[in-house]
Amino acid sequence: MKGYIEERAVDIANYIIDYNATVRQTAKQFGISKSTVHKDVTERLIQINPSLAHKARLVLDLNKSERHIRGGLATKEKYLHKSTANIH
């Protein structure tokens, strides 16, 4: 594996852990695709630093389990703004 990919995988994992970041947030921060973030954490990092990979995976799994809640809150917020905009 190329050195910069290994370094990126470690940087991504640290970012996810430090900021409790989602795959989408991480991809945006690093300017890469969500699939690349996922591949770096689940496949590449496990070979480089299994302990760090496990910690990052715990955060991603938690975020995934809470995803439906965040989605519901975003939808609720959207419609709250729509209804108040119609009042004015």
Side-chain angles (χ1 to χ4, degrees):
M1 202 175 323
K2 299 204 188 306
Y4 73 92
I5 294 175
E6 291 177 351
E7 187 177 327
R8 181 188 67 206
V10 170
D11 290 345
I12 284 171
N14 284 323
Y15 180 81
I16 289 169
I17 294 163
D18 292 346
Y19 295 98
N20 199 29
T22 63
V23 170
R24 184 176 298 231
Q25 291 166 334
T26 305
K28 186 175 182 181
Q29 176 67 28
F30 285 84
I32 57 177
S33 71
K34 293 185 295 182
S35 355
T36 302
V37 171
H38 186 71
K39 185 168 185 151
D40 279 359
V41 173
T42 59
E43 294 177 21
R44 294 180 176 127
L45 191 60
I46 203 96
Q47 297 171 2
I48 302 163
N49 186 334
S51 173
L52 186 62
H54 177 70
K55 290 176 188 173
R57 188 63 198 229
L58 289 175
V59 173
L60 293 180
D61 288 346
L62 176 64
N63 286 340
K64 186 175 182 181
S65 73
E66 294 174 346
R67 179 174 57 190
H68 68 285
I69 297 168
R70 281 194 302 277
L73 291 175
T75 303
K76 181 179 177 182
E77 191 70 23
K78 174 183 171 183
Y79 285 104
L80 283 174
H81 281 93
K82 271 189 176 181
S83 63
T84 56
N86 292 336
I87 295 172
H88 299 288

